Amino acid sequence: MARWGMPSPRTAVKGRNSDPGVTNIRNVKSPHWRRWLGIEHRCVVPFTSFSENEALPDGRKPPVWFAFDETRPLAFFAGLWTNWTSVRKVKEGKTTNDLFAFLTTEPNKEVGVIHPKAMPVILTTRSEIDLWMTAPAEEALKLQRPLADGALRIVARGGKEDEGGLTV
């Protein structure tokens, strides 16, 4: 098990007594992320669908769920991980955890309609996964691009429902 959220840059936590972490990594040119771009800190994050919040005129922001199709096949985000000691939650105090986050990039057409700033970097083939996990950073980071328009579809809107029909 790993916690979502890589360590935040020092400037982001200055004056705070905890670090909630950074869940999405976009600017890989930042000196803060360089130490984790090597193959020893790369991972893939499995998913079957992901959501972005849609800003509605009435102020609500319900989730919109994306996947390759309605069957929600297994897919992978390009991620980074590290083992880190910090205070994530004040009530827990200092803990040591495996932390992860995934790379983001500009959105494709489908995601951009809902979230115009970014989408996760999605690896679609075994060769892309192998490239992400084994190539030098300069080559692997070429995968930080949006999926082709039409590759994803909206598979649900609103809260997630479990098998018993409960919305969570």
Side-chain angles (χ1 to χ4, degrees):
M1 297 298 287
R3 280 186 150 170
W4 188 21
M6 290 286 282
S8 300
R10 279 187 224 156
T11 56
V13 293
K14 190 174 184 174
R16 298 181 67 179
N17 55 3
S18 67
D19 176 9
V22 176
T23 57
N24 302 323
I25 301 166
R26 177 86 178 261
N27 182 8
V28 294
K29 290 183 168 86
S30 164
H32 178 73
W33 300 117
R34 261 188 236 137
R35 65 185 128 177
W36 294 306
L37 294 178
I39 58 174
E40 67 276 11
H41 288 285
R42 290 190 218 145
C43 64
V44 293
V45 180
F47 76 97
T48 55
S49 61
F50 68 94
S51 68
E52 297 292 354
N53 292 328
E54 181 177 23
L56 298 177
D58 65 4
R60 290 182 301 127
K61 294 183 179 183
V64 175
W65 295 87
F66 296 91
F68 286 108
D69 63 44
E70 284 77 12
T71 67
R72 299 183 189 204
L74 183 63
F76 300 92
F77 297 141
L80 298 177
W81 80 277
T82 194
N83 185 267
W84 195 259
T85 301
S86 64
V87 176
R88 296 294 298 240
K89 297 180 179 181
V90 174
K91 67 181 179 181
E92 291 178 354
K94 189 178 280 191
T95 60
T96 300
N97 302 282
D98 287 335
L99 307 176
F100 76 97
F102 48 80
L103 268 60
T104 61
T105 188
E106 53 277 344
N108 69 358
K109 182 179 177 182
E110 293 76 35
V111 176
V113 170
I114 304 300
H115 192 268
K117 290 186 179 181
M119 71 175 289
V121 172
I122 299 173
L123 307 174
T124 60
T125 65
R126 180 68 206 193
S127 62
E128 287 181 350
I129 293 169
D130 290 344
L131 180 69
W132 175 247
M133 295 300 293
T134 63
E138 183 177 306
E139 188 177 342
L141 288 170
K142 291 177 183 173
L143 294 167
Q144 190 179 19
R145 81 297 179 242
L147 287 182
D149 293 343
L152 295 170
R153 59 184 359 146
I154 293 174
V155 294
R157 289 179 179 271
K160 179 182 168 190
E161 288 187 8
D162 70 7
E163 291 178 15
L166 295 174
T167 300
V168 291

